[in-house]
Amino acid sequence: MYHSFSYEGVLASSQRAAWKIEEVLPDGASLDFSRPFLPETLARTAGVEGLDVRERLILNHVRGHEYLSIFGLVEEFILPFVLDHARPLLNGDDHRVRALLQFAGEEAKHIHLFRCFHETFVRGFGEGCSVIGPADAIGAEILRHDPLAVALVILQVEWMTQAHYVDSVHRNGDLDPLFASLLRHHWMEEAQHARLDTLMVEALAESRSEVGIMAAVEQYLEIGAFIDAGLKAQTELNLSAFERAAGRTLNSAERDAFLAQQHQAARWTYLGSGMAHERFRATLRDLSPAALARVEAVAPAFR
Ligand SMILES: [Fe+2]
Ligand SMILES: [Fe+2]
């Protein structure tokens, strides 16, 4: 095992890191649409050919809307998964019960926070942005898989949020301050979730044979492919929102280039940046070197 995470330690850290929604998004606050929302490492607007400075900023905001929507959606399947995992353990270790319930409570708060940000975005942006869904159908499709596969997807999401803040936001001083605050506060609590998820993955993998572990890895990849198809559909919705807000229609060659480049940017944002995270890879390696090798073989497609 590469770490020394414990339920007691995570519980203590999460109590220190806890914040209230109004500290992240004060009542009546508005987003500054003269600034980007997402770091360029995720938005990759410079890679879309033919956009001027104003259009690149519009695309960044559309991607910001996508980030709020996709995370809202992801948190909605994490919450029931954590509650289901905690339910049979209620009579066990007190620190574990409290840490898992705190985890679930924080994810419920994150769903609420992303929703509040979404409302603030819609008030300021003025043009309709759409999102894939419905969220409960997407959640149900993911949750029908092997719990170990779902726990791996969640672990990847938790480490991914660490990378989004630490690697990107940290060095982007010009982001809208409210959006930067959202990423920072999410990072603070997700740091504990990533540790708890690591313990959840280990508990679910405990008595599995190599064959059982590799079967779960295949299901994890299946969920990844399902999410990827959703990202492709989301990129098409983003293109429509972009055209409406920018007030011009791209020609057919420009549209194809936009869709290919922005789909890849979304792949990196929601899949690749988690797959590449050193801690996620360490957990896979602990499960089985073959599990890590299998994921490493597909990871380049999500860069
Ligand atoms: Fe979260
Ligand atoms: Fe989380």
Side-chain angles (χ1 to χ4, degrees):
M1 214 185 289
Y2 81 90
H3 63 82
S4 55
F5 306 154
S6 71
Y7 290 104
E8 187 174 3
V10 171
L11 180 63
S13 313
S14 70
Q15 285 168 337
R16 278 195 301 275
W19 40 259
K20 296 193 181 89
I21 288 187
E22 51 273 27
E23 291 163 6
V24 187
L25 184 65
D27 251 3
S30 48
L31 295 161
D32 179 356
F33 283 84
S34 71
R35 295 186 187 209
F37 294 167
L38 272 194
E40 176 61 15
T41 42
L42 304 180
R44 297 187 183 173
T45 63
V48 185
E49 276 180 41
L51 302 193
D52 62 25
V53 174
R54 180 189 74 98
E55 289 174 335
R56 282 183 55 190
L57 188 60
I58 290 171
L59 177 56
N60 187 294
H61 294 156
V62 171
R63 292 294 311 283
H65 172 271
E66 167 209 281
Y67 195 88
L68 298 173
S69 308
I70 299 284
F71 261 97
L73 209 141
V74 163
E75 305 276 16
E76 278 186 45
F77 75 79
I78 296 180
L79 177 57
F81 183 83
V82 175
L83 286 173
D84 285 350
H85 182 80
R87 185 73 179 85
L89 303 172
L90 292 182
N91 291 326
D93 177 287
D94 289 336
H95 290 117
R96 181 174 63 190
V97 172
R98 291 178 59 205
L100 289 172
L101 292 180
Q102 172 105 356
F103 180 177
E106 285 170 0
E107 293 299 31
K109 182 175 70 177
H110 298 176
I111 292 171
H112 190 180
L113 178 72
F114 280 109
R115 247 182 228 142
C116 293
F117 260 87
H118 187 261
E119 285 163 17
T120 309
F121 179 95
V122 170
R123 274 202 304 276
F125 191 65
E127 291 287 335
C129 294
S130 306
V131 63
I132 51 168
D136 52 355
I138 292 175
E141 170 59 23
I142 292 170
L143 291 171
R144 75 169 177 81
H145 287 84
D146 180 339
L148 178 55
V150 179
L152 283 170
V153 170
I154 296 173
L155 182 65
Q156 174 177 308
V157 170
E158 313 286 15
W159 285 125
M160 192 170 88
T161 61
Q162 301 302 285
H164 291 175
Y165 179 69
V166 176
D167 296 348
S168 319
V169 180
H170 219 46
R171 298 194 289 266
N172 273 261
D174 62 339
L175 293 186
D176 164 63
L178 277 183
F179 222 94
S181 159
L182 168 81
L183 293 167
R184 187 168 71 84
H185 284 87
H186 201 211
W187 163 75
M188 283 164 67
E189 291 188 345
E190 294 297 322
Q192 320 323 318
H193 298 183
R195 289 166 176 79
L196 280 175
D197 266 321
T198 303
L199 296 170
M200 276 168 50
V201 164
E202 285 167 3
L204 290 165
E206 208 170 29
S207 50
R208 294 247 184 158
S209 64
E210 176 79 8
V211 171
I213 284 173
M214 292 311 287
V217 170
E218 289 310 313
Q219 291 214 11
Y220 152 85
L221 293 173
E222 225 177 87
I223 298 172
F226 171 70
I227 294 173
D228 187 34
L231 296 177
K232 188 164 187 282
Q234 181 61 48
T235 305
E236 284 164 15
L237 297 174
N238 288 354
L239 172 57
S240 303
F242 167 78
E243 288 183 327
R244 277 195 300 274
R248 79 171 170 110
T249 308
L250 305 188
N251 67 36
S252 142
E254 287 171 331
R255 289 173 69 94
D256 289 349
F258 177 107
L259 290 173
Q261 192 273 347
Q262 280 293 295
H263 177 208
Q264 197 59 31
R267 281 177 152 172
W268 170 251
T269 304
Y270 304 104
L271 295 165
S273 59
M275 280 175 163
H277 197 286
E278 191 40 52
R279 300 290 189 102
F280 178 67
R281 297 173 70 251
T283 291
L284 284 175
R285 194 183 299 116
D286 276 356
L287 290 184
S288 156
L292 176 61
R294 180 76 179 100
V295 173
E296 276 180 340
V298 301
F302 299 94
R303 268 187 211 130

